[in-house]
């Protein structure tokens, strides 16, 4: 079975603290009629520090969508390779062992995708398959794991590399003054992440089942308005209640796998905010300790969109992992409203390639043409 190996995470060097965020809100929006509410909401996010790709003075300027997207491309090319090579090392593989690259991002745009640059620059074979996912927002981390899992089910000897690149600070819009926008200015952070799904071998989460769930008629709860100035994040006030709608989907998928979601050994979930995690405890009947890794990600790095599930999973690895065959769940939540869910068991299998593995064994190579 396919195994999700240890992720690699990197955050930018510029740090923004909660105290700095609150002071910026007070200074920039002193006359806002709902400033007190916005400050209270920002304080309640649980975010203590965030990392951003530019100094805050640059972040607060808006040079136009074109220049911002140029920053996105340059920073992606500067920061992604380090996590790619580290993730490959974690999996005991090299670039030529990868058959598919899944690239997820919702904070900038490139065509061709960054996958083409990675293949041309980092030593991947030119028949490596590419799967960019651009419009699933924070759910895309879970979707990337699921699509990599599907690929390795179709081609059992294949390996997939997942890359997530989120520079949320490049979506800051100084003219968006709604409370939801002010809250998002205090919630989101920047990060890049990578992880390998190995078709054979590897230490990590042995993926067994995946599924998706869309809550009907919630398309406008989390969305982008695309304007001349770029991506304008729109957050409905009903978003904090989404776990009441999504938790049953997690329970249903687990039940279809003959598991009880309340009795699993680990949960790695997207931390959009503390209310999300509190409600999961309530609706799934699990202890708050189950979400300690997601809470740590939120507190130290903010909502880093599709990177959250990889950062939280890395914290589980850093904590020694789970017991062999421990059962767990990984879930990303995002626009739609959408949940992307994986079920799997912890595996302490070999983390090095099988001796004598050749390119011909990789399955999908024979299907290219």
């Amino acid at each position: 079975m396919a195994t999700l190996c240890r992720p690699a995470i990197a955050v930018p060097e510029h740090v923004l603290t909660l105290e700095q965020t609150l002071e910026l809100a007070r200074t920039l929006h002193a006359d806002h009629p709902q400033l007190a509410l916005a400050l209270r909401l920002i304080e309640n996010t649980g975010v203590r520090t965030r990392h951003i790709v530019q100094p805050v003075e640059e972040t607060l300027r808006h040079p136009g969508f074109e220049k911002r997207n140029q920053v996105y491309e340059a920073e992606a090319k500067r920061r992604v390779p380090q996590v790619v090579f580290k993730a490959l090392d974690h999996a005991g593989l090299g670039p030529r062992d990868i058959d598919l690259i899944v690239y997820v991002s919702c904070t900038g745009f490139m065509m061709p995708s960054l996958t083409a640059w990675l293949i041309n620059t980092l030593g991947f074979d030119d028949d490596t398959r590419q799967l960019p996912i651009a419009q699933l927002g924070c759910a895309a981390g879970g979707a990337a794991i699921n699509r990599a899992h599907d690929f390795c089910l179709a081609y059992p000897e294949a390996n997939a590399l997942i890359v997530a690149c989120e520079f949320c600070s490049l979506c800051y819009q100084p003219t968006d003054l709604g409370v939801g926008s002010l809250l998002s200015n205090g919630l989101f952070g920047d990060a890049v992440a990578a992880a390998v799904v190995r078709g054979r071998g590897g230490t990590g989460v042995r993926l067994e089942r995946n599924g998706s769930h869309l809550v009907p008629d919630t398309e406008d709860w989390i969305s982008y308005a695309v304007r001349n100035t770029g991506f304008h994040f729109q957050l409905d006030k009903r978003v904090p209640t989404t776990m009441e709608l999504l938790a049953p989907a997690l329970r249903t998928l687990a039940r279809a796998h003959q598991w009880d979601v309340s009795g699993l050994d680990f949960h790695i979930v997207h931390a959009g905010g503390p209310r999300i995690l509190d409600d999961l405890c309530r609706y799934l009947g699990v202890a708050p300790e189950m979400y300690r890794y997601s809470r740590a990600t939120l507190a130290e790095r903010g909502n880093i969109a599709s990177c959250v599930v990889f950062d939280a999973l890395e914290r589980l690895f850093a904590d020694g992992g789970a017991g062999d065959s421990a059962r767990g769940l990984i879930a990303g939540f995002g626009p739609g409203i959408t949940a992307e869910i994986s079920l799997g068991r912890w595996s302490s299998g070999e983390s090095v390639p099988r001796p004598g593995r050749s390119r011909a064994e990789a399955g999908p190579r024979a299907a290219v043409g």
Side-chain angles (χ1 to χ4, degrees), residues 8 18 26 35 70 82 95 120 253 256 265 280 283 317 339 356 362 365:
L18 172 61
R26 293 188 191 102
L35 177 60
Q70 289 171 352
Q82 62 177 310
N120 285 325
L253 186 69
D265 301 297
L280 281 176
Y283 293 118
F317 273 93
R365 304 301 175 184

Side-chain angles (χ1 to χ4, degrees), residues 79 103 147 170 228 279 314 359:
R79 299 177 186 275
Y103 179 74
R147 302 295 75 79
L170 297 179
N228 290 338
D279 281 359
E314 156 60 20
R359 297 292 295 168

Side-chain angles (χ1 to χ4, degrees), residues 18-60:
L18 172 61
E19 292 71 23
Q20 289 173 306
T21 299
L22 292 171
E23 184 57 31
L24 284 169
R26 293 188 191 102
T27 302
L28 297 172
H29 308 293
D31 298 328
H32 196 288
Q34 293 181 292
L35 177 60
L37 172 60
L39 293 174
R40 187 168 68 252
L41 291 173
I42 291 170
E43 285 189 281
N44 291 339
T45 59
V47 178
R48 296 293 170 258
T49 56
R50 293 174 291 154
H51 296 253
I52 53 180
V53 293
Q54 300 178 110
V56 67
E57 297 80 11
E58 290 296 319
T59 301
L60 294 175

Side-chain angles (χ1 to χ4, degrees), residues 18 30-31 92 105 156 184 220 245 267 273-274 291 297 345 356:
L18 172 61
D31 298 328
S105 181
S184 71
D220 58 348
L245 304 173
H267 286 219
Y291 299 115
T297 295
R345 298 177 192 265

